[in-house]
Amino acid sequence: MKILIIDDEVSIREWMAYIIGQMAFDFEKILTAANGQEAVEIYESEKPEIIFVDMLMPVMSGLEYIQYVRQKNRQAEIIILTSHSDFELVRGALKYGVRDYILKPEIDRDKIRELIELACCRIETRTKLADENLEFSSLKKNAFIRDVVCAKKETVITRDLLEEYTISIEDRALFAIAFWPENGGERFDIALPGNRNIGRIVGLIYDREISLLLCNLYQKLSTLEQIADVYEFTAQIVQRNGFNVGVSRVYPGIGDVAAAIKEAVFHLSQRFYDDKSDPTYPPAEDKMTSLLGIFSEYQNKIKNYRPCDNLSAIFGGLLEELFALRSGDIVTMKENMASLLYMAASEWYSDSRDFQDAFIKARHRIRDARSFDTMCAAVNDYLIELELSANARKNGYSRSVSQAMDYIREHILSPLSLAEVAEHVYLSPDYLSRLFKKETGENFVAFVESEKMKKAARLLQETDMKVYEVAQAVGYKNVSYFSSLFKKKLGVNPFSFKNRV
């Protein structure tokens, strides 16, 4: 295995090369490059598996180099080096499968060792899976979940049946692990720890969110030894990958594959409701009927909903019932929750672009939630958005225009631009300008001028500031121009206004 360090600062790349050379890694070569172009030449000849790359380099930027490498190799382990906590740079690299980064001021031996160990572990996992010909994306293999595990009719699982679905688990002690891929990433881009007592590992996709590992154990182990190995193995998966898992008990053979999968998925679902839930209690009865019954009940409530009702109280009751039920079908629960939110608001706010944008954001947050509390936060935040929209519409304005007006008033003593205000309300300047004119009857500049004159009047009325001082305070260096605007808006020049007060 080879490692490449790319950084235009010679002291950093040579120091990193030196300390990595002192660590207990069996690297064939430790390579260095001063810029992206030099690194391209090294990659073409050496094909390093692990790459540390600086984001800010001459000749070729770090992001450009990452794009180059990904065209050659989707699996290379890339770790970002950056002098700035600029998460825009990091975010730009995430779409190219970069998982780790380190700030240069925080570089030390332990951090470098930790990052290399994780990278090596992921490489070894992929190598092992390739050696055992495990095709995680196999449609035939994943059809096993639909046809056998989740089918209403119970099927006797035999070796021939598993071979039909290309599942190469052996007829000996086995257990299942269910997990949500980290940040919705690649299904099986995970670091699996080594364990001499855990043999064949098969990957399956349970549904849109949950992935599975079926694992064999050696039968020579005692029950206590099996339990210890399973929990040590799963604890290391959690530690190395940062996500929760649900784990089944150890079953004697392939006839229990479906039971092991269902149990692991159930235990994972309980982690959704309570991160500290007991992972060992047996699965409860199927709660699908109860889940759909609850949503049906609240669908009727929302059909009769009117804006004068307390929508937060209605959804608060729904969330309480869902938490008490603790259904194992998280996907169905999330989909129904998003549908109810849309139903609750669409009749009253569907003509608002704000509503549509807010709902799309809420739906993504609900689908991505990895805990019940996170899902509740997404629901409650969306209900607050609706309440803000409702209050704004009582005044005849959309939420965006209402927020823009509030922002202008709060920052009236600062230079204000249409672009700045549009960015604050997450709209394009052109769209906000047209929306502002449509709803208020005046353009953006006229509204700002009007608010500046109102602020100037208050300053003249409530302070001892002179007219020229007030003019400068609200952004006008030319007192004559300020005076003409003031008179146009208030019908009297500021000097007369000041003296009259």
mmCIF file of all heavy atoms in Angstrom, residues 312-357:
data_model
loop_
_atom_site.group_PDB
_atom_site.id
_atom_site.type_symbol
_atom_site.label_atom_id
_atom_site.label_comp_id
_atom_site.label_asym_id
_atom_site.label_seq_id
_atom_site.Cartn_x
_atom_site.Cartn_y
_atom_site.Cartn_z
ATOM 1 N N SER A 312 -50.151 23.200 16.203
ATOM 2 C CA SER A 312 -49.058 22.630 16.994
ATOM 3 C C SER A 312 -49.583 21.620 18.003
ATOM 4 O O SER A 312 -48.965 20.580 18.257
ATOM 5 C CB SER A 312 -48.289 23.737 17.717
ATOM 6 O OG SER A 312 -47.635 24.580 16.797
ATOM 7 N N ALA A 313 -50.752 21.902 18.594
ATOM 8 C CA ALA A 313 -51.341 20.977 19.568
ATOM 9 C C ALA A 313 -51.774 19.681 18.894
ATOM 10 O O ALA A 313 -51.609 18.583 19.452
ATOM 11 C CB ALA A 313 -52.532 21.632 20.258
ATOM 12 N N ILE A 314 -52.322 19.794 17.683
ATOM 13 C CA ILE A 314 -52.743 18.597 16.954
ATOM 14 C C ILE A 314 -51.547 17.694 16.665
ATOM 15 O O ILE A 314 -51.566 16.488 16.938
ATOM 16 C CB ILE A 314 -53.448 18.993 15.637
ATOM 17 C CG1 ILE A 314 -54.763 19.717 15.944
ATOM 18 C CG2 ILE A 314 -53.706 17.753 14.783
ATOM 19 C CD1 ILE A 314 -55.468 20.251 14.718
ATOM 20 N N PHE A 315 -50.473 18.274 16.131
ATOM 21 C CA PHE A 315 -49.297 17.460 15.816
ATOM 22 C C PHE A 315 -48.565 17.030 17.079
ATOM 23 O O PHE A 315 -47.917 15.977 17.094
ATOM 24 C CB PHE A 315 -48.360 18.226 14.878
ATOM 25 C CG PHE A 315 -48.728 18.071 13.430
ATOM 26 C CD1 PHE A 315 -49.600 18.959 12.825
ATOM 27 C CD2 PHE A 315 -48.239 17.014 12.684
ATOM 28 C CE1 PHE A 315 -49.964 18.811 11.501
ATOM 29 C CE2 PHE A 315 -48.589 16.855 11.347
ATOM 30 C CZ PHE A 315 -49.459 17.752 10.760
ATOM 31 N N GLY A 316 -48.648 17.825 18.139
ATOM 32 C CA GLY A 316 -48.062 17.401 19.412
ATOM 33 C C GLY A 316 -48.707 16.116 19.909
ATOM 34 O O GLY A 316 -48.022 15.193 20.384
ATOM 35 N N GLY A 317 -50.036 16.029 19.796
ATOM 36 C CA GLY A 317 -50.730 14.806 20.189
ATOM 37 C C GLY A 317 -50.338 13.629 19.323
ATOM 38 O O GLY A 317 -50.164 12.504 19.814
ATOM 39 N N LEU A 318 -50.192 13.870 18.014
ATOM 40 C CA LEU A 318 -49.771 12.808 17.103
ATOM 41 C C LEU A 318 -48.390 12.280 17.470
ATOM 42 O O LEU A 318 -48.172 11.058 17.544
ATOM 43 C CB LEU A 318 -49.766 13.346 15.670
ATOM 44 C CG LEU A 318 -49.142 12.439 14.596
ATOM 45 C CD1 LEU A 318 -49.880 11.116 14.499
ATOM 46 C CD2 LEU A 318 -49.123 13.154 13.240
ATOM 47 N N LEU A 319 -47.454 13.177 17.730
ATOM 48 C CA LEU A 319 -46.089 12.759 18.067
ATOM 49 C C LEU A 319 -46.059 11.969 19.371
ATOM 50 O O LEU A 319 -45.294 10.994 19.508
ATOM 51 C CB LEU A 319 -45.168 13.979 18.150
ATOM 52 C CG LEU A 319 -44.891 14.679 16.812
ATOM 53 C CD1 LEU A 319 -44.204 16.017 17.038
ATOM 54 C CD2 LEU A 319 -44.039 13.790 15.914
ATOM 55 N N GLU A 320 -46.872 12.357 20.327
ATOM 56 C CA GLU A 320 -46.938 11.610 21.593
ATOM 57 C C GLU A 320 -47.424 10.185 21.363
ATOM 58 O O GLU A 320 -46.887 9.223 21.932
ATOM 59 C CB GLU A 320 -47.856 12.337 22.578
ATOM 60 C CG GLU A 320 -47.255 13.610 23.172
ATOM 61 C CD GLU A 320 -48.202 14.256 24.169
ATOM 62 O OE1 GLU A 320 -49.258 13.652 24.483
ATOM 63 O OE2 GLU A 320 -47.885 15.372 24.640
ATOM 64 N N GLU A 321 -48.437 10.025 20.533
ATOM 65 C CA GLU A 321 -48.961 8.687 20.259
ATOM 66 C C GLU A 321 -47.954 7.834 19.491
ATOM 67 O O GLU A 321 -47.830 6.627 19.737
ATOM 68 C CB GLU A 321 -50.284 8.779 19.491
ATOM 69 C CG GLU A 321 -51.438 9.339 20.318
ATOM 70 C CD GLU A 321 -52.784 9.065 19.676
ATOM 71 O OE1 GLU A 321 -52.953 7.966 19.107
ATOM 72 O OE2 GLU A 321 -53.661 9.950 19.750
ATOM 73 N N LEU A 322 -47.243 8.449 18.556
ATOM 74 C CA LEU A 322 -46.238 7.704 17.793
ATOM 75 C C LEU A 322 -45.091 7.251 18.683
ATOM 76 O O LEU A 322 -44.578 6.137 18.535
ATOM 77 C CB LEU A 322 -45.703 8.571 16.646
ATOM 78 C CG LEU A 322 -46.689 8.882 15.522
ATOM 79 C CD1 LEU A 322 -46.049 9.831 14.516
ATOM 80 C CD2 LEU A 322 -47.147 7.607 14.826
ATOM 81 N N PHE A 323 -44.688 8.110 19.620
ATOM 82 C CA PHE A 323 -43.601 7.730 20.523
ATOM 83 C C PHE A 323 -44.036 6.573 21.429
ATOM 84 O O PHE A 323 -43.268 5.658 21.706
ATOM 85 C CB PHE A 323 -43.170 8.916 21.372
ATOM 86 C CG PHE A 323 -41.969 8.624 22.241
ATOM 87 C CD1 PHE A 323 -40.695 8.613 21.699
ATOM 88 C CD2 PHE A 323 -42.125 8.335 23.584
ATOM 89 C CE1 PHE A 323 -39.587 8.323 22.488
ATOM 90 C CE2 PHE A 323 -41.030 8.044 24.380
ATOM 91 C CZ PHE A 323 -39.758 8.039 23.831
ATOM 92 N N ALA A 324 -45.283 6.630 21.890
ATOM 93 C CA ALA A 324 -45.789 5.557 22.745
ATOM 94 C C ALA A 324 -45.890 4.238 21.979
ATOM 95 O O ALA A 324 -45.634 3.164 22.524
ATOM 96 C CB ALA A 324 -47.159 5.944 23.310
ATOM 97 N N LEU A 325 -46.260 4.314 20.689
ATOM 98 C CA LEU A 325 -46.388 3.105 19.874
ATOM 99 C C LEU A 325 -45.030 2.494 19.558
ATOM 100 O O LEU A 325 -44.869 1.274 19.569
ATOM 101 C CB LEU A 325 -47.114 3.443 18.573
ATOM 102 C CG LEU A 325 -47.352 2.278 17.609
ATOM 103 C CD1 LEU A 325 -48.340 1.278 18.205
ATOM 104 C CD2 LEU A 325 -47.844 2.776 16.259
ATOM 105 N N ARG A 326 -44.049 3.320 19.227
ATOM 106 C CA ARG A 326 -42.698 2.868 18.863
ATOM 107 C C ARG A 326 -42.733 1.847 17.724
ATOM 108 O O ARG A 326 -42.151 0.767 17.814
ATOM 109 C CB ARG A 326 -41.971 2.278 20.070
ATOM 110 C CG ARG A 326 -41.597 3.309 21.117
ATOM 111 C CD ARG A 326 -40.983 2.656 22.338
ATOM 112 N NE ARG A 326 -40.548 3.641 23.291
ATOM 113 C CZ ARG A 326 -39.294 3.934 23.568
ATOM 114 N NH1 ARG A 326 -38.329 3.299 22.912
ATOM 115 N NH2 ARG A 326 -38.971 4.840 24.460
ATOM 116 N N SER A 327 -43.412 2.189 16.659
ATOM 117 C CA SER A 327 -43.493 1.290 15.511
ATOM 118 C C SER A 327 -42.108 1.057 14.912
ATOM 119 O O SER A 327 -41.265 1.958 14.879
ATOM 120 C CB SER A 327 -44.410 1.897 14.447
ATOM 121 O OG SER A 327 -44.299 1.197 13.228
ATOM 122 N N GLY A 328 -41.922 -0.153 14.422
ATOM 123 C CA GLY A 328 -40.638 -0.473 13.807
ATOM 124 C C GLY A 328 -40.520 -0.013 12.372
ATOM 125 O O GLY A 328 -39.433 -0.016 11.805
ATOM 126 N N ASP A 329 -41.635 0.395 11.749
ATOM 127 C CA ASP A 329 -41.589 0.833 10.355
ATOM 128 C C ASP A 329 -41.348 2.341 10.304
ATOM 129 O O ASP A 329 -42.267 3.142 10.155
ATOM 130 C CB ASP A 329 -42.896 0.475 9.651
ATOM 131 C CG ASP A 329 -42.790 0.625 8.135
ATOM 132 O OD1 ASP A 329 -41.863 1.320 7.682
ATOM 133 O OD2 ASP A 329 -43.613 0.052 7.430
ATOM 134 N N ILE A 330 -40.090 2.720 10.425
ATOM 135 C CA ILE A 330 -39.719 4.133 10.484
ATOM 136 C C ILE A 330 -40.006 4.833 9.155
ATOM 137 O O ILE A 330 -40.461 5.977 9.121
ATOM 138 C CB ILE A 330 -38.224 4.283 10.834
ATOM 139 C CG1 ILE A 330 -37.883 3.493 12.106
ATOM 140 C CG2 ILE A 330 -37.859 5.749 11.006
ATOM 141 C CD1 ILE A 330 -38.627 3.924 13.317
ATOM 142 N N VAL A 331 -39.744 4.152 8.029
ATOM 143 C CA VAL A 331 -39.936 4.770 6.718
ATOM 144 C C VAL A 331 -41.393 5.153 6.510
ATOM 145 O O VAL A 331 -41.705 6.278 6.101
ATOM 146 C CB VAL A 331 -39.466 3.817 5.601
ATOM 147 C CG1 VAL A 331 -39.850 4.368 4.229
ATOM 148 C CG2 VAL A 331 -37.958 3.614 5.674
ATOM 149 N N THR A 332 -42.317 4.220 6.802
ATOM 150 C CA THR A 332 -43.746 4.514 6.633
ATOM 151 C C THR A 332 -44.175 5.653 7.544
ATOM 152 O O THR A 332 -44.958 6.526 7.151
ATOM 153 C CB THR A 332 -44.585 3.253 6.930
ATOM 154 O OG1 THR A 332 -44.246 2.238 5.993
ATOM 155 C CG2 THR A 332 -46.076 3.552 6.827
ATOM 156 N N MET A 333 -43.661 5.664 8.762
ATOM 157 C CA MET A 333 -44.016 6.726 9.695
ATOM 158 C C MET A 333 -43.569 8.085 9.160
ATOM 159 O O MET A 333 -44.327 9.062 9.180
ATOM 160 C CB MET A 333 -43.381 6.476 11.066
ATOM 161 C CG MET A 333 -43.722 7.550 12.105
ATOM 162 S SD MET A 333 -43.008 7.210 13.710
ATOM 163 C CE MET A 333 -41.269 7.368 13.357
ATOM 164 N N LYS A 334 -42.356 8.176 8.650
ATOM 165 C CA LYS A 334 -41.840 9.443 8.130
ATOM 166 C C LYS A 334 -42.644 9.906 6.915
ATOM 167 O O LYS A 334 -42.959 11.092 6.777
ATOM 168 C CB LYS A 334 -40.366 9.295 7.756
ATOM 169 C CG LYS A 334 -39.424 9.132 8.930
ATOM 170 C CD LYS A 334 -38.007 8.941 8.420
ATOM 171 C CE LYS A 334 -37.000 8.831 9.555
ATOM 172 N NZ LYS A 334 -35.637 8.630 9.041
ATOM 173 N N GLU A 335 -42.957 8.975 6.021
ATOM 174 C CA GLU A 335 -43.700 9.349 4.817
ATOM 175 C C GLU A 335 -45.088 9.875 5.167
ATOM 176 O O GLU A 335 -45.556 10.865 4.594
ATOM 177 C CB GLU A 335 -43.798 8.142 3.888
ATOM 178 C CG GLU A 335 -42.479 7.767 3.224
ATOM 179 C CD GLU A 335 -42.580 6.515 2.386
ATOM 180 O OE1 GLU A 335 -43.615 5.809 2.499
ATOM 181 O OE2 GLU A 335 -41.638 6.236 1.617
ATOM 182 N N ASN A 336 -45.766 9.222 6.116
ATOM 183 C CA ASN A 336 -47.092 9.672 6.528
ATOM 184 C C ASN A 336 -47.022 11.006 7.259
ATOM 185 O O ASN A 336 -47.928 11.845 7.125
ATOM 186 C CB ASN A 336 -47.756 8.612 7.406
ATOM 187 C CG ASN A 336 -48.408 7.514 6.600
ATOM 188 O OD1 ASN A 336 -49.553 7.620 6.190
ATOM 189 N ND2 ASN A 336 -47.659 6.442 6.361
ATOM 190 N N MET A 337 -45.967 11.215 8.030
ATOM 191 C CA MET A 337 -45.807 12.485 8.738
ATOM 192 C C MET A 337 -45.661 13.636 7.739
ATOM 193 O O MET A 337 -46.305 14.685 7.874
ATOM 194 C CB MET A 337 -44.578 12.419 9.652
ATOM 195 C CG MET A 337 -44.313 13.707 10.414
ATOM 196 S SD MET A 337 -45.659 14.155 11.537
ATOM 197 C CE MET A 337 -45.468 12.887 12.781
ATOM 198 N N ALA A 338 -44.830 13.445 6.723
ATOM 199 C CA ALA A 338 -44.650 14.487 5.706
ATOM 200 C C ALA A 338 -45.958 14.757 4.963
ATOM 201 O O ALA A 338 -46.301 15.911 4.684
ATOM 202 C CB ALA A 338 -43.548 14.078 4.726
ATOM 203 N N SER A 339 -46.706 13.698 4.672
ATOM 204 C CA SER A 339 -47.983 13.871 3.963
ATOM 205 C C SER A 339 -48.980 14.664 4.801
ATOM 206 O O SER A 339 -49.696 15.526 4.278
ATOM 207 C CB SER A 339 -48.574 12.496 3.614
ATOM 208 O OG SER A 339 -47.746 11.803 2.707
ATOM 209 N N LEU A 340 -49.038 14.386 6.106
ATOM 210 C CA LEU A 340 -49.958 15.117 6.972
ATOM 211 C C LEU A 340 -49.576 16.585 7.085
ATOM 212 O O LEU A 340 -50.437 17.466 7.111
ATOM 213 C CB LEU A 340 -49.987 14.481 8.360
ATOM 214 C CG LEU A 340 -50.907 13.272 8.555
ATOM 215 C CD1 LEU A 340 -50.964 12.896 10.025
ATOM 216 C CD2 LEU A 340 -52.306 13.528 8.036
ATOM 217 N N LEU A 341 -48.280 16.865 7.161
ATOM 218 C CA LEU A 341 -47.841 18.260 7.212
ATOM 219 C C LEU A 341 -48.255 19.006 5.947
ATOM 220 O O LEU A 341 -48.705 20.148 5.999
ATOM 221 C CB LEU A 341 -46.322 18.327 7.389
ATOM 222 C CG LEU A 341 -45.772 18.053 8.782
ATOM 223 C CD1 LEU A 341 -44.254 18.015 8.743
ATOM 224 C CD2 LEU A 341 -46.244 19.100 9.777
ATOM 225 N N TYR A 342 -48.089 18.357 4.820
ATOM 226 C CA TYR A 342 -48.468 18.988 3.557
ATOM 227 C C TYR A 342 -49.975 19.226 3.517
ATOM 228 O O TYR A 342 -50.443 20.299 3.124
ATOM 229 C CB TYR A 342 -48.043 18.102 2.393
ATOM 230 C CG TYR A 342 -48.155 18.792 1.052
ATOM 231 C CD1 TYR A 342 -47.093 19.532 0.541
ATOM 232 C CD2 TYR A 342 -49.316 18.717 0.302
ATOM 233 C CE1 TYR A 342 -47.178 20.188 -0.671
ATOM 234 C CE2 TYR A 342 -49.428 19.361 -0.916
ATOM 235 C CZ TYR A 342 -48.359 20.093 -1.401
ATOM 236 O OH TYR A 342 -48.449 20.742 -2.601
ATOM 237 N N MET A 343 -50.741 18.240 3.942
ATOM 238 C CA MET A 343 -52.198 18.364 3.954
ATOM 239 C C MET A 343 -52.636 19.511 4.858
ATOM 240 O O MET A 343 -53.538 20.286 4.525
ATOM 241 C CB MET A 343 -52.837 17.061 4.446
ATOM 242 C CG MET A 343 -54.358 17.122 4.540
ATOM 243 S SD MET A 343 -55.040 15.678 5.395
ATOM 244 C CE MET A 343 -54.516 14.390 4.293
ATOM 245 N N ALA A 344 -51.971 19.624 6.021
ATOM 246 C CA ALA A 344 -52.372 20.627 7.003
ATOM 247 C C ALA A 344 -52.181 22.042 6.490
ATOM 248 O O ALA A 344 -52.909 22.960 6.865
ATOM 249 C CB ALA A 344 -51.572 20.435 8.288
ATOM 250 N N ALA A 345 -51.195 22.236 5.624
ATOM 251 C CA ALA A 345 -50.858 23.600 5.215
ATOM 252 C C ALA A 345 -51.259 23.950 3.791
ATOM 253 O O ALA A 345 -51.482 25.119 3.484
ATOM 254 C CB ALA A 345 -49.345 23.808 5.373
ATOM 255 N N SER A 346 -51.378 22.948 2.912
ATOM 256 C CA SER A 346 -51.521 23.249 1.488
ATOM 257 C C SER A 346 -52.788 24.017 1.156
ATOM 258 O O SER A 346 -52.796 24.856 0.252
ATOM 259 C CB SER A 346 -51.470 21.953 0.675
ATOM 260 O OG SER A 346 -52.518 21.075 1.086
ATOM 261 N N GLU A 347 -53.895 23.740 1.865
ATOM 262 C CA GLU A 347 -55.148 24.412 1.548
ATOM 263 C C GLU A 347 -55.057 25.917 1.750
ATOM 264 O O GLU A 347 -55.663 26.705 1.027
ATOM 265 C CB GLU A 347 -56.274 23.846 2.418
ATOM 266 C CG GLU A 347 -57.629 24.504 2.154
ATOM 267 C CD GLU A 347 -58.735 23.911 3.003
ATOM 268 O OE1 GLU A 347 -58.475 22.906 3.692
ATOM 269 O OE2 GLU A 347 -59.831 24.475 2.977
ATOM 270 N N TRP A 348 -54.216 26.324 2.732
ATOM 271 C CA TRP A 348 -54.170 27.741 3.101
ATOM 272 C C TRP A 348 -52.971 28.468 2.540
ATOM 273 O O TRP A 348 -53.011 29.679 2.340
ATOM 274 C CB TRP A 348 -54.179 27.867 4.631
ATOM 275 C CG TRP A 348 -55.329 27.101 5.219
ATOM 276 C CD1 TRP A 348 -55.289 25.874 5.803
ATOM 277 C CD2 TRP A 348 -56.703 27.498 5.224
ATOM 278 N NE1 TRP A 348 -56.543 25.468 6.175
ATOM 279 C CE2 TRP A 348 -57.430 26.460 5.848
ATOM 280 C CE3 TRP A 348 -57.387 28.632 4.781
ATOM 281 C CZ2 TRP A 348 -58.804 26.523 6.020
ATOM 282 C CZ3 TRP A 348 -58.756 28.692 4.962
ATOM 283 C CH2 TRP A 348 -59.456 27.637 5.568
ATOM 284 N N TYR A 349 -51.893 27.730 2.275
ATOM 285 C CA TYR A 349 -50.661 28.426 1.895
ATOM 286 C C TYR A 349 -50.045 27.909 0.594
ATOM 287 O O TYR A 349 -48.929 28.248 0.265
ATOM 288 C CB TYR A 349 -49.619 28.294 3.005
ATOM 289 C CG TYR A 349 -50.146 28.680 4.352
ATOM 290 C CD1 TYR A 349 -50.349 27.723 5.340
ATOM 291 C CD2 TYR A 349 -50.476 30.003 4.636
ATOM 292 C CE1 TYR A 349 -50.856 28.083 6.581
ATOM 293 C CE2 TYR A 349 -50.987 30.366 5.862
ATOM 294 C CZ TYR A 349 -51.173 29.402 6.828
ATOM 295 O OH TYR A 349 -51.671 29.757 8.054
ATOM 296 N N SER A 350 -50.756 27.067 -0.153
ATOM 297 C CA SER A 350 -50.156 26.430 -1.320
ATOM 298 C C SER A 350 -49.782 27.418 -2.424
ATOM 299 O O SER A 350 -48.993 27.097 -3.296
ATOM 300 C CB SER A 350 -51.099 25.370 -1.895
ATOM 301 O OG SER A 350 -52.337 25.958 -2.255
ATOM 302 N N ASP A 351 -50.365 28.629 -2.399
ATOM 303 C CA ASP A 351 -50.018 29.607 -3.419
ATOM 304 C C ASP A 351 -48.748 30.370 -3.082
ATOM 305 O O ASP A 351 -48.301 31.216 -3.829
ATOM 306 C CB ASP A 351 -51.166 30.602 -3.606
ATOM 307 C CG ASP A 351 -51.469 31.373 -2.325
ATOM 308 O OD1 ASP A 351 -51.248 30.807 -1.231
ATOM 309 O OD2 ASP A 351 -51.914 32.531 -2.416
ATOM 310 N N SER A 352 -48.173 30.064 -1.933
ATOM 311 C CA SER A 352 -46.983 30.781 -1.484
ATOM 312 C C SER A 352 -45.723 29.996 -1.827
ATOM 313 O O SER A 352 -45.603 28.822 -1.498
ATOM 314 C CB SER A 352 -47.041 30.998 0.039
ATOM 315 O OG SER A 352 -45.788 31.385 0.530
ATOM 316 N N ARG A 353 -44.771 30.650 -2.492
ATOM 317 C CA ARG A 353 -43.489 30.008 -2.769
ATOM 318 C C ARG A 353 -42.775 29.671 -1.456
ATOM 319 O O ARG A 353 -42.079 28.670 -1.357
ATOM 320 C CB ARG A 353 -42.630 30.937 -3.627
ATOM 321 C CG ARG A 353 -41.216 30.407 -3.863
ATOM 322 C CD ARG A 353 -40.473 31.262 -4.844
ATOM 323 N NE ARG A 353 -39.079 30.886 -4.918
ATOM 324 C CZ ARG A 353 -38.243 31.357 -5.827
ATOM 325 N NH1 ARG A 353 -38.674 32.192 -6.741
ATOM 326 N NH2 ARG A 353 -36.975 30.985 -5.841
ATOM 327 N N ASP A 354 -42.976 30.508 -0.438
ATOM 328 C CA ASP A 354 -42.369 30.250 0.873
ATOM 329 C C ASP A 354 -42.833 28.904 1.418
ATOM 330 O O ASP A 354 -42.053 28.131 1.967
ATOM 331 C CB ASP A 354 -42.763 31.345 1.865
ATOM 332 C CG ASP A 354 -42.340 32.715 1.383
ATOM 333 O OD1 ASP A 354 -41.294 32.791 0.723
ATOM 334 O OD2 ASP A 354 -43.047 33.687 1.665
ATOM 335 N N PHE A 355 -44.117 28.650 1.261
ATOM 336 C CA PHE A 355 -44.668 27.390 1.762
ATOM 337 C C PHE A 355 -44.011 26.207 1.071
ATOM 338 O O PHE A 355 -43.616 25.232 1.707
ATOM 339 C CB PHE A 355 -46.187 27.357 1.553
ATOM 340 C CG PHE A 355 -46.758 25.973 1.528
ATOM 341 C CD1 PHE A 355 -46.844 25.229 2.687
ATOM 342 C CD2 PHE A 355 -47.181 25.410 0.334
ATOM 343 C CE1 PHE A 355 -47.349 23.944 2.661
ATOM 344 C CE2 PHE A 355 -47.686 24.129 0.304
ATOM 345 C CZ PHE A 355 -47.781 23.393 1.473
ATOM 346 N N GLN A 356 -43.909 26.276 -0.251
ATOM 347 C CA GLN A 356 -43.337 25.162 -0.996
ATOM 348 C C GLN A 356 -41.880 24.916 -0.599
ATOM 349 O O GLN A 356 -41.471 23.780 -0.364
ATOM 350 C CB GLN A 356 -43.427 25.449 -2.508
ATOM 351 C CG GLN A 356 -44.841 25.622 -3.030
ATOM 352 C CD GLN A 356 -45.636 24.330 -3.029
ATOM 353 O OE1 GLN A 356 -45.073 23.255 -2.837
ATOM 354 N NE2 GLN A 356 -46.932 24.429 -3.238
ATOM 355 N N ASP A 357 -41.106 25.987 -0.515
ATOM 356 C CA ASP A 357 -39.686 25.843 -0.151
ATOM 357 C C ASP A 357 -39.532 25.293 1.263
ATOM 358 O O ASP A 357 -38.688 24.433 1.522
ATOM 359 C CB ASP A 357 -38.974 27.198 -0.258
ATOM 360 C CG ASP A 357 -38.859 27.677 -1.692
ATOM 361 O OD1 ASP A 357 -39.061 26.858 -2.608
ATOM 362 O OD2 ASP A 357 -38.578 28.874 -1.899
#
